[in-house]
Amino acid sequence: MLLVKTTAGQMALKDRHGGLTSRQRSAFILFDGQRTVGQVLAATAAMGISMDDVQAMLDQGLLESPDGKPAVLKAPAAAAAAGKPAEAAPGVAPALADRYQSAYRVATELTSAAGLRGFRLNLAVEGARNMEELAALAPKIRELVGDEKYRRLQDALFG
């Protein structure tokens, strides 16, 4: 399936608003009407982009089909019900990608809640491309937010 940016999506990218994370922004740029959703997911698999991210962009009205009609993606559960196996991003273990995505969300939440004290650390978290880079930032996050709040990130990172 091909997807293109909507006018609202182009404005969100330009103005850096609209709920796009830095990872989603990287994938969003690739939706040009030339690449399929599968190709974009394969290209951004190392960043942890999943079909849920694409669906979120569709739900926010940032992406649409090239003909302007509402695009509908088949969810993995719907594909399984149709007798088709759910496609995983090539070369990425789904469990690891899910853990990274969960830990990324917790880390950005913790660092952004710290305001200006956590600004630089928040930028570092947004730049983390994999579990190892995120785990390397964990001690700094712990120092910033304290042991009690850090526990959520520890569970997300290390299980």
Side-chain angles (χ1 to χ4, degrees):
M1 167 184 275
L2 297 175
L3 295 174
V4 295
K5 298 169 196 75
T6 63
T7 305
Q10 291 170 351
M11 291 300 293
L13 183 66
K14 180 181 173 191
D15 297 338
R16 293 190 173 265
H17 78 283
L20 284 174
T21 65
S22 61
R23 292 178 312 106
Q24 289 174 335
R25 194 172 286 115
S26 298
F28 182 74
I29 291 168
L30 296 177
F31 287 107
D32 57 3
Q34 304 295 318
R35 296 178 184 95
T36 65
V37 172
Q39 290 170 327
V40 172
L41 287 174
T44 57
M47 290 184 275
I49 297 295
S50 69
M51 193 65 92
D52 290 338
D53 293 304
V54 177
Q55 186 63 53
M57 289 183 251
L58 283 167
D59 293 344
Q60 292 177 35
L62 305 177
L63 293 172
E64 66 185 1
S65 64
D67 58 7
K69 294 180 182 176
V72 179
L73 296 177
K74 281 192 175 181
K84 298 177 185 174
E87 290 184 39
V92 176
L96 183 61
D98 289 343
R99 270 188 37 220
Y100 168 78
Q101 198 165 18
S102 175
Y104 176 86
R105 285 188 186 122
V106 172
T108 55
E109 182 183 317
L110 291 174
T111 55
S112 65
L116 289 175
R117 291 183 312 125
F119 179 72
R120 287 188 179 172
L121 191 53
N122 187 276
L123 292 176
V125 167
E126 287 185 358
R129 297 173 301 204
N130 55 42
M131 284 293 285
E132 291 79 24
E133 291 177 9
L134 201 53
L137 295 171
K140 292 178 182 178
I141 296 171
R142 183 181 201 164
E143 185 179 315
L144 176 70
V145 301
D147 290 340
E148 188 175 320
K149 290 181 181 177
Y150 172 76
R151 211 166 284 125
R152 287 182 42 222
L153 179 60
Q154 182 177 5
D155 291 343
L157 278 173
F158 308 114

